[in-house]
Amino acid sequence: QLDRIIIHQQVELLEAILGTETSSKYEIKNHLGQRVYFAVEENGCFDRNLCSPIRSFTIRIADNAGREVITVNRPLRCNSCWFPCFLQEV
């Protein structure tokens, strides 16, 4: 049972050097710092680099055995990345 979690984003060397965004990966740990889940964000390069704060994405969360336990989907909620007209929803 988890009463709190700690989420660490894994920064890739290419992302740090070039300043571009790649697909994000996260370790989800318990209060003792032990990894209990692993998450990967799926989306396109265009979304990550041009629509970053309002981009659409799917995050797949898996346990340590690699079994997917949660899928989080956030659709793009605007007509254009430049003119958002709806609030985001997950």
Side-chain angles (χ1 to χ4, degrees), residues 6-72:
I6 302 163
I7 301 173
H8 287 157
Q9 182 176 3
Q10 296 178 332
V11 179
E12 296 190 21
L13 186 58
L14 181 65
E15 184 176 356
I17 292 172
L18 298 178
T20 61
E21 288 204 37
T22 61
S23 292
S24 298
K25 296 175 182 70
Y26 304 91
E27 283 190 324
I28 302 169
K29 301 177 180 184
N30 64 15
H31 70 283
L32 299 174
Q34 300 164 322
R35 187 173 94 175
V36 290
Y37 297 108
F38 183 76
V40 177
E41 178 183 345
E42 299 172 353
N43 57 17
C45 180
F46 177 82
D47 288 337
R48 282 191 306 274
N49 290 298
L50 295 178
C51 303
S52 187
I54 61 169
R55 70 183 179 268
S56 63
F57 61 78
T58 298
I59 295 181
R60 301 193 186 281
I61 302 173
D63 62 14
N64 285 326
R67 295 179 299 244
E68 189 173 312
V69 294
I70 300 171
T71 300
V72 178

